[in-house]
Amino acid sequence: MSEWDTLRFEVTDGVATITVDRPDKLNALNVATLEALRSAIAEAEAADARALVLTGAGDTAFIAGADISYMKDLGTPEAQAYAELGHDVARSLETFPAPSVAAVNGYAFGGGCELALACDLRVAAENAVFGQTEIDLGIVPGWGGTQRLPRLVNDEVARRLILFGERIDATDAHEYGLVGEVVAHDQLDARIDDLTADLAAQPRFALAAAKEAINQSYETGLAAGLEYEQRVFSGLFGTHDQREGMDAFVEKRDPEFE
Ligand code: COA
């Protein structure tokens, strides 16, 4: 397993946890940290993780965004490369072959909010604060925020967040549908453990197929998406988990998935 200066990575009971560990900069993502994140996600995939958790070190920040000190003097070609790297990381969370979960334990601004958006699920601690604050810096979201935020919350909310750079607390984020649940700060780890243990116990291939089919609904028209679903559905027949899940139902017992 690799080691990185600004990232912690561990796999426990099939659950990979990546902790951005740059607390003196509120876990802002410089190039080295983003590259480390990309490698760690690849390692989690190679380790066959059944769930992936992304969180931030310390008590105040999840990820306070892209690194402003690094960005401030960039020209267009370098900014394009930085955007591509951020998009790459976001996409690898989105397409990770098991559910990805953002454990948002504090500030989630700019690129931090965008990486949370790219995860399948978001759980916020009560002290979490969300914002696509790029407008305050004279730019726009560059790691997927303009595309993923309006798909998750309603259009008006997305526009308000992006156009005003509004910062919202966990309660509002929950009300807007930006996060699935809010828990006390000291309960976040325990809640994430429960949630990921539940995910890890689910039938792995069905879970991956469900995720892929849902993702596909944002990529294609309805007819193509419905066809895709049929292929994914029928492709699961004959797998161990399909036989086991249905046998267990008929035999009135709990299934034992692979
Ligand atoms: N990029 C680079 N450095 C960052 C950063 C970012 N996105 N966010 C915070 N930091 C650094 C600060 O520069 C400071 O470093 P220093 O101690 O070397 O000066 C350190 O993290 C602590 O931040 P500070 O601003 O002193 O903490 P605070 O508690 O007063 O404020 C925030 C916290 C999150 C409200 C504030 O740091 C902030 O607004 N950050 C920028 C968020 C943002 O716009 N992100 C989107 C980027 S596209």
Side-chain angles (χ1 to χ4, degrees):
M1 203 178 281
S2 307
E3 289 194 6
W4 299 278
D5 289 343
T6 53
L7 206 72
R8 284 186 269 131
F9 175 65
E10 60 174 49
V11 183
T12 308
D13 297 331
V15 177
T17 301
I18 300 176
T19 306
V20 178
D21 190 7
R22 218 187 156 211
D24 55 322
K25 298 292 179 190
L26 303 181
N27 304 322
L29 295 171
N30 57 6
V31 171
T33 309
L34 262 183
E35 285 174 345
L37 197 43
R38 185 167 60 179
S39 306
I41 296 167
E43 288 207 13
E45 183 168 349
D48 267 344
R50 301 185 72 129
L52 172 66
V53 177
L54 176 65
T55 195
D59 285 333
T60 50
F62 170 67
I63 296 168
D67 192 310
I68 301 168
S69 310
Y70 168 72
M71 283 192 294
K72 72 184 191 47
D73 296 320
L74 296 185
T76 294
E78 298 86 10
Q80 171 72 26
Y82 195 40
E84 280 171 16
L85 179 56
H87 271 270
D88 226 20
V89 171
R91 192 78 185 136
S92 64
L93 291 168
E94 191 167 65
T95 59
F96 191 77
S100 49
V101 181
V104 185
N105 56 326
Y107 299 120
F109 290 146
C113 190
E114 289 170 299
L115 293 192
L117 291 174
C119 290
D120 291 284
L121 304 170
R122 284 149 292 279
V123 180
E126 276 169 347
N127 67 317
V129 188
F130 295 80
Q132 291 301 158
T133 53
E134 291 87 348
I135 204 81
D136 294 342
L137 301 167
I139 57 171
V140 299
W143 296 350
T146 63
Q147 305 304 303
R148 292 194 180 96
L149 189 59
R151 286 169 161 84
L152 189 62
V153 302
N154 76 46
D155 188 83
E156 171 89 8
V157 168
R159 283 173 200 267
R160 282 176 180 267
L161 289 173
I162 292 171
L163 300 182
F164 293 108
E166 209 177 303
R167 296 168 187 219
I168 58 169
D169 64 17
T171 308
D172 283 346
H174 187 241
E175 189 188 321
Y176 296 149
L178 180 43
V179 300
E181 54 186 300
V182 180
V183 298
H185 190 260
D186 63 359
Q187 291 301 307
L188 184 62
D189 289 349
R191 177 61 193 131
I192 293 291
D193 286 351
D194 281 353
L195 188 71
T196 52
D198 283 352
L199 289 169
Q202 300 280 65
R204 163 199 293 261
F205 297 110
L207 213 54
K211 169 171 174 165
E212 218 175 301
I214 295 168
N215 284 351
Q216 200 64 27
S217 75
Y218 295 106
E219 307 281 350
T220 65
L222 182 61
L226 293 175
E227 266 179 38
Y228 186 83
E229 185 192 77
Q230 292 172 46
R231 285 200 300 280
V232 162
F233 169 81
S234 55
L236 289 168
F237 280 75
T239 61
H240 167 276
D241 287 345
Q242 177 267 323
R243 295 288 192 251
E244 168 63 9
M246 295 190 186
D247 283 346
F249 176 82
V250 171
E251 293 161 14
K252 301 189 187 309
R253 60 173 173 82
D254 288 334
E256 282 183 34
F257 293 122
E258 254 177 2

